[in-house]
Amino acid sequence: MKKIIAALLAFAMLFSLCACGGTNGDNDKNDTGTKVVTDACGRTVEIPKTVKSVVCVGVGALRFTTYLDALDLLAGVEENELDIGVYKPYAYLHQDVWEKLPQTGNNGETYDEQIIAANPDVIIANMDKATADAYQQKTGIPVVTIPMVEGILDDAVIEMITLLGDIYGKQERASELTDYLTAMKKDIADRVAKVDKDSVPSVYVCGVTFKGYHGFEGTEAHYGPLAELKATNIADATGQAGAFDMDIEQVLKADPDYIFVDTNGLDIIKQQYSENPDFYNSLTAVRENRVFSQVSFRFCATNVELALADMYYMGTVIYPDTFADVDPVAKANEIFKTFLGTDDYCKALSDAGYTFDAVDITK
């Protein structure tokens, strides 16, 4: 009998140990452990399986973290994200969140002591490989680099969303955004395919914001919204890449069918008109009232939602037949709802003087 009792006790102890061991294993699986991600520089970085806190460094990191509804993970914020106007929507809408966070940097400059004190699980950074390696070694915190996003429907946008969705455990939200962008890319391509190739207009975009505000000469080759619409951007013919100051005599020679004005440069352009009205009145688009607005979308790289809204508005202007069913304001608010969670951001823009409308540079 004693042997039977001893055997039962031993079995009970063994069962108890196995149960305890199983529980610990589940906890390790759920709450601890690591995984490896490949960042924008091709670095393999070991991070916690469940990321609970992050610090964002440099251009794009906080913007896309906001798009992914991951603000609850933030352990700090850069100073340049404070006191921001409507031209930077993701920051403008969340000033109440930023104000409660410690300041961990400024426009890519890191405040090392504050970051180490914040002790995030991961640092999300716009850095090159060497800088990221050095900073990870310095802080002892995993550093994941992100791509620079200047476009709106290109691979870099999808890559950014997918990478951060994986890091933050926000795969469902990431899929929602990438599916939306993929459908939008197809929608634009389908509409453009219906345009008679012999009637594709020429366009000049001026007043483009880059390293500050610019006048009529400020333009951009391969301008994102226009590039997606496959219209002729006269700045592309210069061989330049990105934003630059164009010789305005070249604009006159090309005499574009449409002119779009980045709203940030409008006052400068009106002043330029008052100083040389004969030149501007020589442009067919000015004489025939084919000058329209673009809401400034570039502030520390591309605010994707603003650029997409600009793209649809531009489409309604230059391709009125194939975009006849699009209400630019309604479409913009749909985009803002998807990316920012607010469906009436057009009102905030309008109140600040940013609208989708015809522009009169003569007044």
Side-chain angles (χ1 to χ4, degrees):
M1 184 69 179
K2 289 181 180 180
K3 289 182 178 180
I4 294 174
I5 293 173
L8 289 172
L9 287 171
F11 178 78
M13 290 177 66
L14 178 61
F15 179 82
S16 176
L17 287 171
C18 288
C20 288
T23 300
N24 288 338
D26 288 344
N27 285 339
D28 288 343
K29 180 178 180 180
N30 293 333
D31 299 325
T32 64
T34 61
K35 65 180 179 181
V36 175
V37 297
T38 302
D39 70 9
C41 293
R43 300 164 60 249
T44 54
V45 185
E46 187 175 9
I47 66 172
K49 282 184 178 179
T50 302
V51 170
K52 297 180 179 179
S53 62
V54 300
V55 163
C56 295
V57 175
V59 176
L62 184 57
R63 175 182 288 118
F64 279 82
T65 297
T66 304
Y67 292 162
L68 283 158
D69 294 338
L71 299 189
D72 58 313
L73 301 181
L74 293 174
V77 68
E78 293 185 311
E79 283 188 60
N80 60 292
E81 301 291 358
L82 299 168
D83 299 322
I84 290 296
V86 295
Y87 44 77
K88 202 175 183 184
Y90 73 90
Y92 176 79
L93 289 168
H94 298 292
Q95 289 296 296
D96 59 330
V97 177
W98 303 170
E99 290 168 357
K100 297 173 184 176
L101 294 170
Q103 294 173 12
T104 49
N106 186 27
N107 200 26
E109 174 192 355
T110 54
Y111 297 169
D112 298 345
E113 290 184 6
Q114 287 88 330
I115 288 176
I116 292 170
N119 193 30
D121 289 337
V122 182
I123 296 169
I124 307 297
N126 190 326
M127 292 178 177
D128 59 37
K129 183 179 184 301
T131 303
D133 286 341
Y135 201 67
Q136 181 167 303
Q137 184 174 12
K138 180 178 183 178
T139 61
I141 301 168
V143 175
V144 177
T145 66
I146 55 172
M148 173 62 78
V149 173
E150 294 286 4
I152 55 177
L153 289 173
D154 56 4
D155 291 343
V157 179
I158 301 298
E159 178 186 343
M160 176 83 90
I161 293 169
T162 303
L163 174 62
L164 293 185
D166 185 33
I167 292 169
Y168 298 157
K170 295 276 189 176
Q171 290 88 349
E172 185 175 343
R173 171 61 176 163
S175 292
E176 177 188 348
L177 289 173
T178 56
D179 288 350
Y180 183 77
L181 290 168
T182 300
M184 182 175 285
K185 191 176 184 71
K186 182 178 186 303
D187 178 52
I188 292 296
D190 289 348
R191 291 176 187 274
V192 171
K194 297 174 184 177
V195 175
D196 181 352
K197 298 300 183 288
D198 294 329
S199 60
V200 173
S202 59
V203 179
Y204 180 63
V205 184
C206 61
V208 172
T209 303
F210 63 99
K211 297 180 180 179
Y213 298 164
H214 291 256
F216 190 77
E217 70 286 348
T219 192
E220 183 172 341
H222 313 294
Y223 180 77
L226 186 54
E228 295 294 339
L229 293 168
K230 309 299 184 187
T232 301
N233 180 356
I234 67 169
D236 291 351
T238 65
Q240 296 274 1
F244 68 102
D245 286 338
M246 186 167 174
D247 181 349
I248 62 173
E249 292 297 331
Q250 289 183 278
V251 181
L252 182 59
K253 183 178 180 180
D255 197 21
D257 298 312
Y258 294 91
I259 294 174
F260 286 85
V261 179
D262 181 320
T263 313
N264 279 342
L266 180 57
D267 288 342
I268 300 173
I269 293 169
K270 286 184 174 183
Q271 178 62 32
Q272 290 173 323
Y273 176 89
S274 70
E275 294 169 355
N276 189 9
D278 290 344
F279 170 81
Y280 293 96
N281 289 331
S282 298
L283 293 161
T284 303
V286 174
R287 291 198 312 274
E288 298 184 1
N289 301 314
R290 293 200 298 270
V291 182
F292 301 89
S293 66
Q294 285 280 272
V295 174
S296 306
F297 65 80
R298 182 165 290 107
F299 194 97
C300 296
T302 298
N303 289 296
V304 175
E305 72 290 341
L306 289 179
L308 293 173
D310 277 336
M311 174 183 66
Y312 270 93
Y313 174 59
M314 184 178 276
T316 66
V317 172
I318 65 175
Y319 301 139
D321 293 337
T322 56
F323 282 81
D325 61 320
V326 176
D327 178 325
V329 172
K331 188 63 178 180
N333 278 327
E334 173 200 298
I335 293 166
F336 299 149
K337 177 69 172 178
T338 301
F339 280 85
L340 304 169
T342 177
D343 57 6
D344 194 23
Y345 199 68
C346 278
K347 184 179 186 306
L349 289 170
S350 179
D351 289 346
Y354 297 90
T355 59
F356 301 104
D357 208 348
V359 171
D360 186 354
I361 67 171
T362 71
K363 296 180 181 179

